[in-house]
Amino acid sequence: ETYQVTAHTTDVADELQGWADGPGGMQHFMTVLKQDGIFALRFHPGLDEDGWGSTLYAQPFFPPDSLGHAEHSLGHTIVEMTVAEGHGVNVKAKGKVSRGAFTAGDWDFNMTFRFSRGDKKVRGEGKYNIHLDTDVTSTTGDLHLYKLASNVLHGVTGHTRAIHDTGDMKTCGVTFGEYTHLTWDPIKDHAFFPQEFSNDITVDCSGAYNDDERTNAAYKPSLAVELRSVGGDVPMTFAGSFSNWLDKDYWLDNIGVTPLVRVPSSVRTQHYAVTIWSKALPGDKKKLDDDGEDGPAAESGRGP
């Protein structure tokens, strides 16, 4: 693959795009959103034109969640994407740890992403560092290490007029270390706060065939993130929430997923090895079958 980076700025968007040029032609395989102080990643590993799935806000914050909304965030996040010759695209970002109307330290992110055309997969590896200027206490609340935002729809009408559940994802698998694996189904459990902790946590949110008659049907890819604490003991856990009162709103993110460093913690400097991958669903590019049947069930892209 030959890689290219382009920048696009309008009145409502400010983004960097990663492109790969290979045997199948040009593929826009990832976008970095950076308007209003956010640092967010979206991936397009498949061929479906509408196959952009969940969004990863790859920056830490304390509650309340004000990423991209607080005035203080403006100018505090610096993002760049460059071509890593022969390797993919390199994404670097740094900024302030958001804490409502204030900040609570600094963070930086450095990863290289590659596009695998045959596997319909995007994979990135790199480092993520956080330097807090406060302990994690009952005053600050838990430290959120990133936010994965997505959409799940309940009881909506598909293109075949069937009433069903759909959306950009179906479930999230959570792996703590090597042995403990849990699955969160937001339709069944609107909030999921397990009590397991690990220095190595992987969150793997499945893709889904999003079939809502009000918009284009699309194969949405999986999105997975592994964080592994390097050089220090930083026990992490998981939090998932579904704003089920928005379960008919296909245009909104109603799913929030984040790994947490819980209160109390005195670890102010945190270093993580991070791996991110996104994979297209089997059947990607195919919409409705000739017999009118829906596309396949969701499948996880688990495994880097």
Side-chain angles (χ1 to χ4, degrees):
E1 300 286 348
T2 301
Y3 293 93
Q4 298 180 26
V5 172
T6 60
H8 295 267
T9 303
T10 67
D11 291 339
V12 296
D14 185 6
E15 64 186 47
L16 301 169
Q17 298 179 355
W19 293 78
D21 189 7
M26 291 290 288
Q27 171 89 3
H28 177 192
F29 67 92
M30 71 176 292
T31 290
V32 177
L33 307 174
K34 57 190 185 80
Q35 63 266 26
D36 297 332
I38 67 170
F39 171 52
L41 307 173
R42 299 193 73 204
F43 299 98
H44 182 240
L47 297 175
D48 192 322
E49 294 87 348
D50 300 302
W52 293 86
S54 304
T55 303
L56 177 64
Y57 294 86
Q59 56 196 123
F61 61 95
F62 286 104
D65 175 5
S66 59
L67 297 181
H69 302 289
E71 182 178 355
H72 79 269
S73 69
L74 299 178
H76 281 303
T77 304
I78 300 172
V79 182
E80 63 180 54
M81 176 190 283
T82 57
V83 173
E85 292 295 341
H87 298 287
V89 296
N90 180 251
V91 178
K92 293 181 180 178
K94 61 182 179 180
K96 294 292 184 180
V97 179
S98 176
R99 183 186 167 198
F102 306 96
T103 61
D106 301 277
W107 60 271
D108 61 85
F109 176 101
N110 187 341
M111 292 190 71
T112 297
F113 292 90
R114 299 171 179 84
F115 172 58
S116 176
R117 192 178 299 268
D119 294 331
K120 293 184 179 179
K121 189 173 186 177
V122 179
R123 173 184 165 89
E125 295 180 304
K127 300 177 181 179
Y128 176 37
N129 303 300
I130 301 172
H131 304 278
L132 300 176
D133 57 21
T134 179
D135 291 349
V136 180
T137 68
S138 58
T139 301
T140 65
D142 298 328
L143 175 64
H144 298 60
L145 296 174
Y146 62 75
K147 178 180 178 180
L148 193 157
S150 195
N151 176 268
V152 166
L153 302 174
H154 175 59
V156 298
T157 303
H159 287 81
T160 62
R161 306 298 300 167
I163 305 296
H164 64 173
D165 299 336
T166 187
D168 289 353
M169 55 155 279
K170 283 201 171 184
T171 62
C172 285
V174 190
T175 301
F176 298 87
E178 296 182 12
Y179 304 109
T180 303
H181 179 74
L182 306 175
T183 300
W184 176 45
D185 184 338
I187 295 293
K188 295 179 180 178
D189 297 302
H190 297 161
F192 187 62
F193 300 95
Q195 298 305 306
E196 285 77 8
F197 290 83
S198 176
N199 290 318
D200 186 344
I201 185 170
T202 299
V203 176
D204 186 353
C205 292
S206 70
Y209 182 70
N210 192 333
D211 179 24
D212 184 325
E213 68 169 358
R214 298 169 295 174
T215 187
N216 293 335
Y219 287 88
K220 302 295 189 174
S222 66
L223 179 55
V225 183
E226 180 186 14
L227 284 183
R228 179 171 54 86
S229 177
V230 178
D233 183 25
V234 187
M236 296 170 279
T237 188
F238 173 90
S241 62
F242 173 37
S243 302
N244 61 303
W245 58 93
L246 303 175
D247 65 4
K248 303 295 189 293
D249 296 346
Y250 68 88
W251 60 92
L252 293 177
D253 288 329
N254 55 24
I255 293 287
V257 167
T258 180
L260 300 173
V261 176
R262 289 279 196 192
V263 171
S265 172
S266 59
V267 182
R268 296 192 178 190
T269 298
Q270 303 170 18
H271 302 291
Y272 298 98
V274 57
T275 304
I276 300 171
W277 63 96
S278 177
K279 188 173 183 179
L281 290 182
D284 164 69
K285 183 65 176 173
K286 184 180 181 184
K287 295 293 187 177
L288 294 178
D289 296 333
D290 292 339
D291 60 4
E293 293 296 322
D294 289 345
E299 176 172 307
S300 171
R302 180 164 183 75

